[in-house]
Amino acid sequence: TKLFKCLKNNLKVLRINGNKFEETSDKKYGPYCISYLSNLQYLDYKLIDKVERVQAEEEAEIEATSTACFVIF
């Protein structure tokens, strides 16, 4: 999440589809990226709408309260 925090205010377009991250991740990356990257407008070339953003933020909040997340870079 340190990487996401430094990108949080700048990144607007992100493509992960077909990337090694997608293949090795055990969680859905879409909601995770949308919830942590507040200015992200497009994910995998798809426009992120308000409903999708709200759902991603709610999902991230639920996950944060129920489990601990560790990211190793």
Side-chain angles (χ1 to χ4, degrees):
T1 56
K2 283 185 180 183
L3 177 63
F4 281 136
K5 287 180 183 178
C6 68
L7 297 173
K8 197 170 202 170
N9 295 320
N10 300 318
L11 194 63
K12 295 184 185 229
V13 178
L14 178 63
R15 180 184 163 262
I16 294 180
N17 189 8
N19 189 304
K20 286 284 184 189
F21 174 80
E22 178 191 25
E23 296 171 9
T24 59
S25 179
D26 61 345
K27 63 167 41 179
K28 297 183 287 179
Y29 69 87
Y32 182 78
C33 293
I34 293 168
S35 66
Y36 282 95
L37 301 170
S38 59
N39 285 333
L40 192 65
Q41 296 174 0
Y42 292 88
L43 179 61
D44 294 332
Y45 303 114
K46 295 179 191 171
L47 181 65
I48 300 166
D49 62 22
K50 284 185 177 186
V51 172
E52 190 173 8
R53 185 166 304 281
V54 168
Q55 288 173 341
E57 289 170 356
E58 288 173 353
E59 193 173 309
E61 188 175 323
I62 290 169
E63 184 177 326
T65 58
S66 63
T67 61
C69 179
F70 297 96
V71 177
I72 299 173
F73 291 102

